Amino acid sequence: MHSKKTVLAAAFAAVAALTLSACGSGGDPSDDSVADVSSGTESKPATVLDQPFTKPDLVLTDTHGKKYDLREQTKGKPTLIYFGYTNCPDVCPLTMSNIAVAKRALPKADQDKLQVVFVTTDPERDTPASLGSWLKAQDPDFTGLTGDFPTIQAGARQIGIGIDPPKKEKDGTVVSMHGAQVIAFSPKTDKGYVLYSEDTTAEDYTEDLPELVKGETP
């Protein structure tokens, strides 16, 4: 089993809010909107939070155009939440693909319990229809949410994830800066108690999902 570390959620929130992934920009290290929080130690894929996050109070629109209350819809269910966007060329599709692969390794009953929620950070382009089409290629049961950017940004901040409004580069590329963390919420407490970095592999998720579905610490 891969190593994990325990940290205070409040302290990690300050770091997570500053660690933004420059999807679509090539990750220019000179971009001062990306904070260097490297401590020189090897990054671990999973962090077990000593003080779990409260699930975001988010009411958005799902891929069917219907209102989706995150807390109500996922209450009492094992839930993974990720903020990203469909035009991301690297981190976002890889993250969702890794989760999809791991989910398929679960027994059917556990697959049905697991809720995977993808919240767009680029709502202007990620309409319910386009978001639904993109997620269907990953897993048709994944939930996609969109809405107005300020609401999405505020919801992300509630769990220590920082996102910036999409901006257009000189070459016409639209870049969305967003935290690349996946947070797992327990079906027992509805608290976000495990955080996964962008380095988490499909094998890591495959190893941990059976415990996460039960609300256990992996």
Side-chain angles (χ1 to χ4, degrees):
M1 178 172 290
H2 52 69
S3 300
K4 300 178 179 67
K5 57 186 177 180
T6 301
V7 298
L8 292 177
F12 193 89
V15 175
L18 293 173
T19 309
L20 303 183
S21 176
C23 291
S25 70
D28 183 357
S30 66
D31 187 341
D32 60 10
S33 64
V34 181
D36 180 6
V37 295
S38 173
S39 62
T41 58
E42 182 183 355
S43 175
K44 304 300 181 183
T47 300
V48 178
L49 302 175
D50 185 58
Q51 295 182 4
F53 288 114
T54 297
K55 192 172 290 181
D57 184 11
L58 264 178
V59 179
L60 296 170
T61 301
D62 67 15
T63 55
H64 302 289
K66 297 180 179 180
K67 185 178 79 170
Y68 188 99
D69 185 321
L70 181 66
R71 286 183 176 175
E72 287 301 316
Q73 297 289 115
T74 62
K75 186 176 182 180
K77 300 176 182 178
T79 304
L80 301 181
I81 296 177
Y82 181 76
F83 288 79
Y85 71 119
T86 66
N87 285 280
C88 173
D90 38 43
V91 178
C92 302
L94 178 59
T95 297
M96 300 310 289
S97 175
N98 286 342
I99 294 173
V101 168
K103 179 187 171 187
R104 288 194 289 271
L106 290 171
K108 183 61 167 61
D110 286 346
Q111 290 186 41
D112 293 340
K113 293 176 184 177
L114 182 65
Q115 306 296 301
V116 179
V117 180
F118 181 95
V119 184
T120 183
T121 60
D122 184 12
E124 185 172 334
R125 290 189 295 170
D126 284 343
T127 64
S130 64
L131 182 56
S133 177
W134 187 82
L135 283 174
K136 187 176 181 180
Q138 301 282 355
D139 186 304
D141 292 325
F142 283 178
T143 296
L145 300 179
T146 187
D148 65 272
F149 185 83
T151 298
I152 293 170
Q153 186 179 50
R157 284 175 175 167
Q158 291 175 41
I159 51 175
I161 295 177
I163 62 175
D164 287 342
K167 61 180 180 179
K168 184 174 288 188
E169 300 293 319
K170 292 180 180 179
D171 63 359
T173 302
V174 177
V175 179
S176 178
M177 302 291 289
H178 62 89
Q181 299 85 16
V182 173
I183 299 182
F185 288 80
S186 168
K188 296 179 179 178
T189 64
D190 281 319
K191 297 287 187 178
Y193 69 120
V194 183
L195 184 147
Y196 291 92
S197 73
E198 65 181 277
D199 298 322
T200 308
T201 66
E203 289 74 19
D204 293 325
Y205 284 118
T206 299
E207 182 179 339
D208 287 2
L209 281 186
E211 283 76 27
L212 295 178
V213 168
K214 299 173 185 176
E216 299 174 355
T217 300

